[in-house]
Amino acid sequence: MFTERTSVGLDVHARSVFAAAIDSDTGELFQSRLTPSPEHILTWVQDLPGPVAVAYEAGPTGFGLYRT
């Protein structure tokens, strides 16, 4: 059984990031197109109901984000 309330998927590209999340308690969906700035992405994720689990598509544009 999962312990996080919200699951997030990030499709990371050089010029934009498409983010989608689902709240497992309410079924509410969240979607946003973000800038590739780690601060922008982190702010969006922190505004979601927690605890949060995040997954991203591995590749050269996502490695810096992962380290953040």
Side-chain angles (χ1 to χ4, degrees):
M1 186 165 187
F2 295 106
T3 58
E4 64 277 340
R5 175 175 174 174
T6 304
S7 297
V8 177
L10 301 174
D11 187 14
V12 182
H13 298 276
R15 295 187 178 148
S16 66
V17 174
F18 183 76
I22 185 166
D23 183 328
S24 62
D25 287 354
T26 65
E28 184 176 4
L29 298 173
F30 305 91
Q31 295 182 5
S32 185
R33 184 169 302 275
L34 307 168
T35 65
S37 160
E39 294 81 17
H40 187 201
I41 297 165
L42 188 58
T43 299
W44 185 81
V45 170
Q46 288 175 333
D47 288 341
L48 297 170
V52 176
V54 180
Y56 74 99
E57 181 180 8
T61 54
F63 293 139
L65 178 60
Y66 171 77
R67 289 184 193 107
T68 300

